[in-house]
Amino acid sequence: MIFEAELETLPREQLAELQLERLRSLLHRLKDRVPLYRDRLADVEPGDVASLEDLRQLPFTRKDDLRETYPLGMLAVPRDALARIHGSSGTTGKPTVVAYTASDLDLFARMNARALAMAGAEPGMMLHNAYGYGLFTGGLGLHGGGEALGLNVIPVSGGMTERQLTLIEDLRPDVIACTPSYALTLASAFAARGVAPDDISLRFAVVGAEPWTERMRAEIDAGLGVRCTNIYGLSEVIGPGVSAECVEERAGSHVNEDHFLPEIVDPNTGYLVPEGEEGVLVFTTLTKEALPLVRYWTGDICSLSSVPCSCGRTLTRMGPIVGRSDDMLVVRGVNVYPSQVGAVLGRMPELSPHFGLVVRREGTLDTVEVLVEPNVDASCDAVDVTARAAALIRETIGCTMTVKLVRPGEAPRSDGGKIQRVQDLR
């Protein structure tokens, strides 16, 4: 089903007209109400913005702007108009504070309802929500979306895996929402209990909040007996629900671009790159009230495609996040994202999706050791498989790494939150 079919299938020309109208309204509000934008947009007259291309002339907003105006210096509404405050997960640097009006919370719920419907959920189904509740936007975002779609929501939150398994077995939900690494944790735990995928009630899994690979998708599908789809978001833009994959194609995440206008720019020059090329993802929040942002530099590296989708949605699609511009490792002059290593390892059936990186400096040279678990269902010779994995990494990424097999359970895993794959000991 399509939750808001009239908007999600809007012809591209009409969508562009709606985006331009909302962009002009946004610029008016920001110049009137937010000191930072009043200064930065001093020479911009919203009425003179003739097309969406004019957006490219506006300055970027970065996370440092939110930190420097901490906690609520970028509000576009009075404080007494706020209905909720969340914070970023703080994976890099100091967490930031984001705020919502009642209208923003309604938008937040509707975007997550869109995402759940894209994933295959329908009214009357039960949602096992294993995203963390609290300042992190994941739990409450999917919770509101589930209720807006008409689902029965189980607010389990993250962690306490044994309790999660018991609730899934007893309540028999249809849909689960969690990080991809935690979905693998649950699949492994079910297998250890002797519960076969066909005996698990789950049909659909909505996973995100960290980079993941097609190999991980296959493992989640097989281990939980589901079709899993990606959901994307970040607290500063609204939280989860900025984009999501449809269950029909599972080939890129549809951006809810009637509310969040995307761009892909070169990480070095800031100039727009051609469609299909990778760069930094940038968003302008067209309809948020409390904390709207112009050209917010997410740091996430991906691409955009406007190729039509069989699901009927006309919304552009994001490719998978290949990394972050601020978690990129530079090793002997080569740019490396942890997710690239995961994608290479995923091409080897002898290896599991569980891996981590240890970066050291030996003298003047940087070294990377890849710790990866073997696939318990495949027999392999450790010397042979590690040599082939190291060669494949070198040929694909262009960086020399050593590969070491570790025992099951020794590679980084998720306890329900975002997984930390890199130990940088330099």
Side-chain angles (χ1 to χ4, degrees):
M1 67 171 291
I2 300 180
F3 181 66
E4 295 182 320
E6 182 179 349
L7 292 167
E8 295 179 67
T9 63
L10 201 62
R12 296 294 304 176
E13 298 79 7
Q14 293 181 35
L15 176 60
E17 292 173 3
L18 177 63
Q19 291 171 325
L20 183 58
E21 176 187 338
R22 289 178 168 178
L23 175 61
R24 289 169 177 158
S25 176
L26 169 68
L27 296 177
H28 273 297
R29 287 190 292 121
L30 291 177
K31 289 193 69 172
D32 287 344
R33 303 176 185 179
V34 182
L36 181 142
Y37 285 123
R38 186 179 300 127
D39 293 339
R40 290 189 180 176
L41 303 175
D43 298 328
V44 177
E45 290 300 328
D48 293 338
V49 176
S51 69
L52 293 175
E53 283 66 35
D54 292 340
L55 176 68
R56 323 302 181 210
Q57 308 304 316
L58 304 180
F60 295 110
T61 305
R62 299 178 184 263
K63 181 167 279 193
D64 282 346
D65 294 317
L66 293 168
R67 292 183 178 129
E68 290 169 6
T69 56
Y70 179 90
L72 296 170
M74 289 181 63
L75 283 184
V77 298
R79 287 174 66 110
D80 60 9
L82 299 182
R84 187 190 298 169
I85 288 177
H86 277 288
S88 73
S89 55
T91 54
T92 56
K94 183 179 179 181
T96 52
V97 172
V98 292
Y100 301 74
T101 64
S103 177
D104 291 335
L105 292 179
D106 175 70
L107 172 65
F108 195 17
R110 288 189 290 110
M111 296 304 98
N112 279 277
R114 286 188 186 185
L116 287 163
M118 288 184 200
E122 297 179 359
M125 288 184 176
M126 182 178 289
L127 169 65
H128 182 97
N129 188 12
Y131 275 115
Y133 284 65
L135 281 178
F136 174 57
T137 53
L140 285 168
L142 269 298
H143 187 116
E147 292 183 342
L149 185 58
L151 306 183
N152 177 1
V153 183
I154 310 169
V156 187
S157 195
M160 299 185 69
T161 298
E162 284 300 312
R163 182 182 67 174
Q164 305 257 3
L165 301 182
T166 298
L167 287 171
I168 293 171
E169 288 188 307
D170 293 348
L171 296 176
R172 301 192 62 77
D174 308 276
V175 187
I176 186 170
C178 62
T179 63
S181 52
Y182 194 57
L184 289 173
T185 296
L186 292 174
S188 297
F190 269 124
R193 276 193 177 192
V195 179
D198 288 345
D199 295 328
I200 301 171
S201 64
L202 298 170
R203 297 168 53 195
F204 306 106
V206 182
V207 300
E210 61 190 20
W212 56 301
T213 65
E214 288 301 312
R215 173 67 182 280
M216 292 176 70
R217 187 200 297 276
E219 295 273 351
I220 295 167
D221 283 358
L224 294 178
V226 297
R227 280 177 65 80
C228 67
T229 50
N230 185 60
I231 186 170
Y232 171 84
L234 60 165
S235 298
E236 297 85 359
V237 174
I238 200 167
V242 174
S243 72
E245 281 184 324
C246 62
V247 73
E248 289 87 351
E249 290 203 3
R250 302 200 294 178
S253 299
H254 291 279
V255 180
N256 288 313
E257 55 182 324
D258 50 331
H259 298 282
F260 313 111
L261 183 59
E263 305 171 69
I264 300 290
V265 302
D266 184 282
N268 298 311
T269 67
Y271 294 143
L272 205 66
V273 304
E275 179 174 320
E277 291 190 11
E278 291 179 351
V280 175
L281 180 61
V282 172
F283 277 113
T284 296
T285 63
L286 296 174
T287 56
K288 276 182 65 180
E289 288 185 343
L291 213 157
L293 299 172
V294 172
R295 305 197 80 199
Y296 182 71
W297 185 282
T298 70
D300 290 329
I301 305 293
C302 70
S303 60
L304 292 177
S305 172
S306 59
V307 174
C309 183
S310 63
C311 74
R313 294 174 178 86
T314 54
L315 304 169
T316 192
R317 283 181 280 178
M318 291 168 46
I321 303 296
V322 301
R324 286 186 55 81
S325 57
D326 51 11
D327 75 359
M328 180 181 73
L329 298 170
V330 181
V331 181
R332 301 187 185 184
V334 178
N335 298 340
V336 178
Y337 297 102
S339 56
Q340 291 177 299
V341 178
V344 172
L345 297 175
R347 292 159 57 184
M348 299 185 62
E350 303 95 331
L351 302 177
S352 85
H354 303 292
F355 75 96
L357 306 180
V358 180
V359 187
R360 298 182 176 90
R361 178 157 292 154
E362 298 179 359
T364 59
L365 295 178
D366 294 331
T367 65
V368 180
E369 182 179 42
V370 182
L371 308 179
V372 61
E373 297 176 16
N375 186 343
V376 294
D377 296 326
S379 60
C380 63
D381 176 82
V383 174
D384 172 67
V385 75
T386 54
R388 286 192 291 113
L392 192 57
I393 289 171
R394 183 173 59 253
E395 294 165 3
T396 306
I397 300 176
C399 182
T400 298
M401 303 183 186
T402 60
V403 179
K404 177 182 178 182
L405 291 186
V406 296
R407 289 177 294 186
E410 290 187 351
R413 273 178 166 72
S414 169
D415 61 358
K418 293 186 180 182
I419 193 168
Q420 300 295 320
R421 296 200 184 275
V422 179
Q423 293 184 63
D424 195 337
L425 305 180
R426 290 177 291 186

